[in-house]
C-alpha cells in the first residue's frame, strides 16, 4: 500500500512598490479615527473619493501578480498602529475571486509583522507564515486566509489595506 499526500496550496504574493513623496503625503493627509486596537478610516467615507488614487498606486504590481487580469478595487482603508495596537485574527470573506492586500507605507524593524494561517484555522491548527513589514512592501493574498497583527512595538506602522475582485 502506497502513501498518498494531499494538501491545499495557498499563495501569498509579495512585491515592492516604490512610493513617491506624493503617494506618502496622500496617505498621511487622510484623517483616521482612533479606536482601541488601532486608528483607521474603515467606517469613514469622507476620503473614499480617493479610491482612484489608491487604485493607481496598486494597479500595476497587482496586475503583474494576476498575470494581466484586471481587478476592481472594492474597498480600501488605512490603519495606523501605535505601540501596543493590534488586529485580532480575522478574514475578509470566503469569495474565491476576492483577494486582499496590505501595503506598508511606514514602518520600522520594530513594527509588528502580519501572521497568516491556513484555511480553517483556528479550528484546524496551522503554523503561521509571518511577513515582516518594510516600507513599500505589497502583500496580496486570498481573502479567506485568517491573519492577525500581534501588539505593535513602535508608533510608526502605517498600512493601506483593502479588497479586490478579480475580473
Amino acid at each position: 500500500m502506497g502513501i498518498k499526500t494531499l494538501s491545499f496550496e495557498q499563495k501569498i504574493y509579495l512585491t515592492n512598490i516604490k512610493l513617491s513623496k506624493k503617494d506618502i503625503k496622500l496617505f498621511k493627509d487622510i484623517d483616521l479615527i482612533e479606536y482601541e486596537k488601532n486608528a483607521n478610516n474603515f467606517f469613514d467615507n469622507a476620503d473614499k473619493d480617493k479610491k482612484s488614487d489608491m487604485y493607481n498606486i496598486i494597479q500595476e504590481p497587482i496586475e503583474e501578480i494576476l498575470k494581466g487580469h484586471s481587478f476592481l478595487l472594492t474597498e480600501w482603508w488605512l490603519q495606523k498602529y501605535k505601540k501596543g495596537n493590534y488586529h485580532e485574527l480575522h478574514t475578509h470573506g470566503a469569495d474565491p475571486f476576492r483577494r486582499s492586500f496590505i501595503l506598508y507605507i511606514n514602518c520600522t524593524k520594530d513594527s509588528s509583522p502580519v501572521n497568516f494561517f491556513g484555511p480553517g484555522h483556528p479550528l484546524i491548527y496551522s503554523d503561521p507564515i509571518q511577513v515582516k513589514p518594510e516600507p513599500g512592501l505589497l502583500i496580496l493574498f486570498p481573502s479567506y486566509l485568517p491573519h492577525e497583527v500581534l501588539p505593535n512595538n513602535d508608533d510608526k506602522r502605517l498600512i493601506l489595506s483593502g479588497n479586490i475582485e478579480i475580473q
Side-chain angles (χ1 to χ4, degrees), residues 6-139:
L6 304 175
S7 64
F8 293 100
E9 182 177 291
Q10 309 304 313
K11 293 184 180 178
I12 301 170
Y13 296 93
L14 309 176
T15 191
N16 286 296
I17 295 177
K18 182 153 177 56
L19 296 171
S20 69
K21 289 181 182 180
K22 180 182 169 188
D23 295 337
I24 293 169
K25 181 175 178 3
L26 172 71
F27 296 127
K28 290 187 174 182
D29 284 350
I30 294 174
D31 291 326
L32 303 178
I33 299 168
E34 293 279 338
Y35 295 99
E36 177 186 341
K37 60 184 179 178
N38 59 54
N40 65 67
N41 66 335
F42 187 81
F43 297 106
D44 183 10
N45 289 317
D47 292 301
K48 298 307 177 184
D49 62 335
K50 293 181 172 69
K51 186 174 182 176
S52 63
D53 295 321
M54 301 304 158
Y55 180 85
N56 290 336
I57 292 167
I58 64 171
Q59 177 187 7
E60 188 177 320
I62 289 180
E63 285 182 351
E64 186 176 331
I65 291 167
L66 298 176
K67 297 181 175 33
H69 289 278
S70 61
F71 65 91
L72 284 173
L73 175 59
T74 55
E75 296 104 12
W76 67 270
W77 58 93
L78 291 171
Q79 287 180 297
K80 171 89 168 110
Y81 293 74
K82 294 180 181 175
K83 189 171 184 153
N85 286 170
Y86 63 96
H87 201 141
E88 68 277 348
L89 186 67
H90 66 286
T91 69
H92 293 213
D95 185 336
F97 296 102
R98 188 177 207 185
R99 299 291 180 271
S100 297
F101 65 88
I102 300 167
L103 173 60
Y104 289 98
I105 300 157
N106 194 21
C107 56
T108 70
K109 64 177 178 51
D110 293 325
S111 296
S112 291
V114 60
N115 293 325
F116 291 96
F117 298 88
H121 185 88
L123 300 175
I124 302 169
Y125 179 77
S126 63
D127 289 325
I129 293 173
Q130 193 171 81
V131 179
K132 295 183 181 188
E134 60 182 73
L137 178 65
L138 175 73
I139 306 169

Side-chain angles (χ1 to χ4, degrees), residues 140-151:
L140 184 69
F141 57 96
S143 297
Y144 54 79
L145 283 184
H147 54 287
E148 68 182 357
V149 176
L150 297 177

Side-chain angles (χ1 to χ4, degrees), residues 145-165:
L145 283 184
H147 54 287
E148 68 182 357
V149 176
L150 297 177
N152 195 44
N153 297 312
D154 66 16
D155 289 328
K156 302 290 183 193
R157 191 179 196 277
L158 177 64
I159 64 165
L160 170 66
S161 223
N163 300 310
I164 65 169
E165 288 183 19

